């Protein structure tokens, strides 16, 4: 029996109280994506590649926290206009029904908020279209919660990624909430130690300038977790390596190594 007509393009939209730049960072930074992508569906994004450049790869692998079958999707970016538009192919790996589609995500400023719209073209059936509609609806709700600072922190790695996100948004109370009350933070490069979360939050809040933060890496180690951040204010830029120990949702110790970016000295230049 022929299938009833259906819309081959799924469109889902949501207004989120955050600027486009913040939502773009959440969507395109793997370390931050992991904290919110699939949260409503109880999924863990255990493998992710997001090369947000024309021709760059997109590869996600998800599995239920409670156990179950993995889901994998791959694609290529063909439209990258930060912080306004992303376009990519979306190909589910495996499964009885082939799904080879294309999605566009737009981030349009609406005052102090952003209208995020997903248009997913090429739906092969009403069943797949319904799955994608619900999936993107859940994803935008998860993105909304993450932008509001409500990132899940099921692991210490996620906690450290969330700490950097809150520092990037200048959410001092939110950043402090991820540290143990008696947390010890050490900056070996300057010989400083901050004892207690209030001391660490205070020095960040008082730091001169407006700094943009990117987080290209966050991963678990044998003894805790590690993150690599890129921090700059337009005039100067730094790389920071954070080593954290503690428990999910509560960092007990944090050691940060900071180095200023710049050209190598003359004796090391080719």
């Amino acid at each position: 029996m022929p299938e009833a007509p259906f819309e081959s393009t799924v469109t889902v939209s949501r207004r989120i109280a955050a600027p486009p730049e913040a939502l773009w960072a959440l969507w395109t930074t793997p370390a931050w994506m992991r904290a919110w992508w699939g949260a409503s569906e109880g999924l863990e994004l255990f493998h992710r590649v997001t090369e947000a450049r024309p021709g760059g790869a997109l590869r996600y692998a998800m599995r239920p926290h409670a156990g179950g079958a993995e889901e994998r999707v791959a694609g290529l970016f063909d439209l990258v206009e930060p912080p306004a538009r992303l376009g990519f192919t979306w190909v589910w790996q495996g499964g009885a029904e082939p799904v080879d589609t294309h999605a566009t995500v737009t981030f349009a400023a609406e005052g102090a908020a952003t209208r995020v719209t997903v248009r997913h073209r090429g739906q092969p059936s009403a069943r797949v279209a319904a799955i994608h509609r619900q999936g993107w609806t859940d994803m935008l709700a998860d993105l909304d919660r993450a932008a509001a600072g409500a990132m899940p922190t099921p692991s210490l790695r996620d906690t450290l990624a969330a700490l950097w996100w809150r520092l990037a948004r200048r959410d001092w109370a939110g950043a402090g909430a991820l540290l143990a009350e008696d947390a010890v933070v050490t900056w070996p490069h300057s010989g400083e130690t901050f004892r207690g979360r209030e001391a660490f939050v205070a020095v960040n809040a008082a730091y001169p300038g407006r700094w943009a933060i990117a987080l290209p890496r966050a991963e678990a180690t044998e003894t805790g977790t590690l993150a690599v951040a890129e921090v700059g204010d337009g005039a100067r830029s730094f790389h920071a390596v954070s080593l954290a120990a503690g428990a999910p949702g509560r960092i007990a110790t944090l050691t940060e190594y900071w180095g200023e970016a710049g050209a190598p000295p003359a004796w090391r230049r080719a």
Side-chain angles (χ1 to χ4, degrees), residues 38 41-46 62-71:
E41 299 176 75
L43 297 176
E44 174 195 5
L45 184 63
F46 68 90
M62 299 154 280
R63 61 190 169 209
H65 286 289
E70 296 179 0
E71 299 177 4

Side-chain angles (χ1 to χ4, degrees), residues 137-217:
T137 298
D138 290 341
M139 287 295 184
L140 294 189
D142 292 337
L143 178 64
D144 196 339
R145 283 188 286 270
M151 284 188 185
T153 54
S155 70
L156 185 60
R157 172 177 53 188
D158 296 324
T159 304
L160 183 56
L163 175 66
W164 275 106
W165 170 253
R166 292 181 177 181
L167 292 174
R169 308 316 311 156
R170 302 179 69 84
D171 176 7
W172 311 125
L178 296 171
L179 297 166
E181 187 174 356
D182 58 351
V184 177
V185 181
T186 305
W187 287 353
H189 60 284
S190 60
E192 295 172 273
T193 298
F194 306 96
R195 300 188 182 279
R197 64 185 175 202
E198 291 185 3
F200 177 69
V201 169
V203 74
N204 277 278
Y207 211 95
R210 297 285 296 189
W211 299 86
I213 296 175
L215 192 71
R217 181 179 173 192

Side-chain angles (χ1 to χ4, degrees), residues 213-255:
I213 296 175
L215 192 71
R217 181 179 173 192
E219 61 187 57
T221 67
E222 290 185 2
T223 57
T225 195
L226 170 150
V228 178
E230 298 170 354
V231 184
D233 68 350
R236 303 172 68 192
S237 60
F238 296 84
H239 297 278
V241 177
S242 296
L243 300 171
R250 278 291 185 277
I251 295 171
T253 63
L254 183 63
T255 302

